[in-house]
Amino acid sequence: MATDEPFSEKLRVPEALTFDDVLLRPKESRVEPDDADTTTRVSTNVRLSVPVLSAAMDTVTEADLAIEMARQGGLGVLHRNMTPEEMADQIEAVKRADELIIRDVVTADPDQTVHEVDEMMERAGVSGAPVVDEDDVVLGIISGTDIRPYLEVGDRDEVREAMTDEVITASEDVTARDALELMYEHKIERVPVVDEDDRLTGLVTMQGILARREYDEAARSDDGSLVVGAAVGPFETDRAQIADEAGVDVLFIDCAHAHNLNVIDSAREIKQEVDADVVVGNVGTREAAEAVVDFADGIKVGIGPGSICTTRVVSGSGMPQITAVAEVADVATRHDVPVIADGGIRYSGDAIKAIAAGADAVMLGSYFAGTDEAPGRVITMNGKKYKQYRGMGSVGAMNDGGGDRYLKEEDEDEEFVPEGVEAATPYKGPLAQELHQLVGGMQSGMGYVGAETIPEFKERSEFVRVSSAGQTESHAHDVVITDEAPNYSPDS
Ligand code: XMP
């Protein structure tokens, strides 16, 4: 505003809309929801079969939830209220989860007794073990069938007498198909992997191969491992490097206001120092998108829409999410950079509206915080089950680290100025069920618009503006709900 312009000019304000302000206009369609393809790109090099990310929050995403997200085709983004080393361990845990070659192999010693090895295998939950010498050279393999009936071997006999010593092994470059062929041919269930000196380097099991097949839509990197994301503070170059070395696929610059020029300088440096893709966020305007689009592998949108966020009431600043996504997508689409809509999504309908507004994928916190795989235990209040869910800008979460998300200095003598609350969310059960409802609802949205793919949906979808009467009409009304629906609760 020029200095001679009257302040009242500021009141000629543009309108900004959010989820409940709009609906998708139904269109002619031949697309059945089940046939709608939700494949998308979340950053330059990472594609997902399901356009959904779990939030980098300490009550939402740690390794267990990230593993399940990737198995179901989405992406889990690890929070950063942990040391960089702990984060590296969690990244490695996700990367190892569905590995063809198991590295953490339970082995037996030829001098152990049959009884000892039987107990050891039971404790470790495995039904067989390679037998190795002190240099890890494979001498044999022992399995439950070799020892359990104790027909020919006694309980106190040594493993070397009971083991099978003609071992079928494979080398490091073994594929799942090679391993299966070996297993069928020799009627075995596990194949030790060895180096050129016959030293054990890993193990491939039939059970592992079958488990991988169960997740045929899983999001995987080129080497077959599950994809994983991790949050880094805007100035945390060290954490970014450690996470990168641990094999993270996407780093998320985790900042409540990424249109801060110091944050952008630092994000640009981090991008130069890592191999992983770097998604920058959060932003909420066209200008912010323009400031990062030349180097970001993805842009994350959301200034204050989250269920536990108080940014807008505390700071008086923010952008209603549908408008924010559309502004950012205007810029990002011209540069072919993916957009992620982060926060405020309560229903599958909100998620697909965010895609119509220009997002390529959506990020959710509260939706997943109540699942079994999220950190924390189930609590019971007034006979109902809940799990804890707190904003990363809440006092509790900032005390545990990460206050720099809000560009706040830590000062022992001063109280934090929080921008989030600590809360509880209904317990929901397994993540796979929740994600199924979310994605199924998004596919329904694609069906109503007649789009078979996400890019087609983004192009074909149109919004109508909804009055508050229209919004009331959208929800279940004039009835008393007798049975809970798996995808709808009026007070979501
Ligand atoms: P939902 O609505 O899915 O939102 O629960 C999750 C997103 O909210 C953001 N987030 C916060 N925003 N104060 C904020 O203003 C907070 O304390 C806070 N914690 C998380 C974050 O972008 C997350 O993905």
Side-chain angles (χ1 to χ4, degrees), residues 84-85 87-88 91-92 230-233 235-248 251 253 269-276 278:
E85 291 70 28
M87 179 178 263
I91 291 167
E92 282 161 12
V232 295
F235 307 108
E236 283 190 311
T237 317
D238 284 359
R239 180 188 293 272
Q241 280 166 339
I242 291 170
D244 191 45
E245 273 160 32
V248 75
L251 287 171
I253 304 294
E269 268 172 43
I270 289 176
K271 166 69 190 160
Q272 277 162 7
E273 286 177 27
V274 296
D275 290 331
V278 175

Side-chain angles (χ1 to χ4, degrees), residues 214-237:
E214 205 183 306
Y215 304 113
D216 52 352
E217 295 291 316
R220 299 187 188 279
S221 324
D222 291 344
D223 65 0
S225 60
L226 296 173
V227 294
V228 61
V232 295
F235 307 108
E236 283 190 311
T237 317

Side-chain angles (χ1 to χ4, degrees), residues 284-356:
T285 62
R286 185 186 313 282
E287 305 81 73
E290 263 152 14
V292 301
V293 77
D294 67 303
F295 72 96
D297 290 304
I299 305 180
K300 192 150 70 70
V301 184
I303 309 284
S307 57
I308 34 48
C309 303
T310 53
T311 290
R312 293 183 190 168
V313 285
V314 169
S315 71
S317 183
M319 273 290 265
Q321 186 70 340
I322 287 286
T323 296
V325 170
E327 281 206 14
V328 172
D330 279 349
V331 178
T333 310
R334 280 204 310 274
H335 293 79
D336 197 26
V337 173
V339 172
I340 299 156
D342 173 17
I345 291 168
R346 304 147 301 170
Y347 302 108
S348 47
D350 295 342
I352 198 67
K353 286 178 197 175
I355 307 264

Side-chain angles (χ1 to χ4, degrees), residues 55-57 282 300 304-311 342-345 363-367 389-394 405-406 419-421:
M57 300 173 70
N282 278 12
K300 192 150 70 70
S307 57
I308 34 48
C309 303
T310 53
T311 290
D342 173 17
I345 291 168
M363 177 179 261
L364 298 90
S366 73
Y367 197 88
Y389 180 48
R390 66 181 186 183
M392 293 304 280
S394 65
R405 183 174 202 270
Y406 299 88
E419 291 187 23
V421 295

